[in-house]
Amino acid sequence: MAECIDLSGRVALVTGGGKNIGRACATKLANAGARVAITYQQNAKLANETCKELQARGLDVIAVHAELTEKDSVIRGLGEVADRLGPIDIVVNNAAIRPPLHLEDTTPEWWDLIMNTNARGAFFISQLVLPGMMTRKWGRVIFIGGIALYTGSVHTARDCAKTACIGMMRSLSLMGTPHGVTANMVHPGFVDTVHDDVKLQGNDERRKERMRKHRMGHGSVAEDPASMVLFLASEGARFISGQELFVTGGMPPHLGI
């Protein structure tokens, strides 16, 4: 008989869980029995719509506001999660911004915002949740990276911030693994998601052509990396820590398509 992933009694936090990969992660974790909180920074409408849709399926999901660039806001947001759902057992650091900026157009202000949102927020969350996980002898910290960290991309600042998270993940693994807390990173390949960066990515036909050039003849959907996240959150992944997992449809991390 096939084993089923059961996260009943666990509390999961998914940053930026209102759409795309974050939404898929929240859905899979909740389907497995976890109580899930998704964070949002500005788009409360989208986050609440996602919650209502998932709650209508009988899933235990809430939306919490947290400005990841501000530690006080992160403290308030995680405090709300603890009050409403309980101590956080699983963190999916998914939230990220990817402004349509070339290298030469990235101002110091944009650089700070990208680094603060994509890396600083995950650092604040780790500071707050890791001690409790270690005390309880169980925890999962999962980062969402991207194949572009190895192939390169025009999103220079974003890639710098996400690469910083690789080092953060390894550090958390070193500290947490002896106490039953694992930390890993999932690298999606080309995922068919919604972005507002037409300036750099081109029109919809260009995106579809890139997907068709993939080894599998198509790109992936958000549920593909989310399935890896679900596995890493499970008991079956208890001996996996400090690793980068590539969900790229066979595309080697050092090659483009």
Side-chain angles (χ1 to χ4, degrees):
M1 181 180 295
E3 292 185 9
C4 294
I5 294 177
D6 184 4
L7 297 178
S8 299
R10 302 296 185 190
V11 174
L13 175 75
V14 182
T15 64
K19 65 177 182 178
N20 295 335
I21 294 174
R23 177 188 170 117
C25 291
T27 302
K28 285 186 175 292
L29 293 168
N31 275 328
R35 290 166 289 171
V36 179
I38 63 175
T39 72
Y40 66 91
Q41 294 196 134
Q42 297 178 344
N43 201 335
K45 182 175 183 291
L46 177 63
N48 287 320
E49 287 176 352
T50 296
C51 278
K52 289 179 181 179
E53 290 178 21
L54 298 181
Q55 288 167 356
R57 303 181 202 173
L59 303 179
D60 194 351
V61 183
I62 65 171
V64 174
H65 176 257
E67 292 288 342
L68 299 182
T69 61
E70 301 175 10
K71 187 169 184 178
D72 287 346
S73 181
V74 174
I75 292 172
R76 287 192 296 271
L78 269 60
E80 181 179 347
V81 175
D83 290 342
R84 296 175 64 180
L85 301 181
I88 296 170
D89 303 298
I90 301 162
V91 173
V92 181
N93 288 304
N94 165 76
I97 59 172
R98 189 177 72 179
L101 299 169
H102 285 287
L103 175 66
E104 62 271 22
D105 298 324
T106 304
T107 64
E109 291 76 20
W110 270 116
W111 167 266
D112 288 344
L113 182 60
I114 294 167
M115 291 296 293
N116 289 345
T117 301
N118 297 6
R120 186 181 184 186
F123 182 81
F124 289 155
I125 291 172
S126 299
Q127 281 186 315
L128 295 170
V129 303
L130 192 68
M133 290 179 175
M134 292 168 64
T135 298
R136 296 189 300 274
K137 301 296 182 181
W138 200 98
R140 302 287 188 266
V141 182
I142 304 163
F143 293 82
I144 302 298
I147 192 65
L149 304 187
Y150 289 86
T151 63
S153 80
V154 296
H155 299 283
T156 309
R158 186 282 309 267
D159 292 351
C160 288
K162 285 289 188 178
T163 301
C165 289
I166 297 176
M168 194 186 315
M169 175 272 293
R170 291 175 179 165
S171 177
L172 297 179
S173 173
L174 178 68
M175 293 184 288
T177 300
H179 304 278
V181 181
T182 66
N184 295 285
M185 178 174 279
V186 174
H187 292 293
F190 290 118
V191 183
D192 196 1
T193 54
V194 177
H195 291 291
D196 300 320
D197 56 355
V198 175
K199 175 182 176 182
L200 298 187
Q201 296 300 322
N203 57 33
D204 195 54
E205 283 304 313
R206 178 181 172 186
R207 179 184 61 80
K208 290 178 180 179
E209 178 62 23
R210 185 176 69 170
M211 295 295 181
R212 284 192 292 267
K213 287 182 179 179
H214 196 282
R215 287 185 175 186
M216 288 191 170
H218 58 81
S220 69
V221 294
E223 285 72 20
D224 294 321
S227 293
M228 178 61 77
V229 168
L230 176 62
F231 169 66
L232 291 173
S234 73
E235 284 297 326
R238 66 186 182 277
F239 211 66
I240 301 173
S241 191
Q243 304 302 309
E244 298 174 62
L245 292 305
F246 292 84
V247 185
T248 61
M251 184 172 71
H254 60 285
L255 297 176
I257 59 172

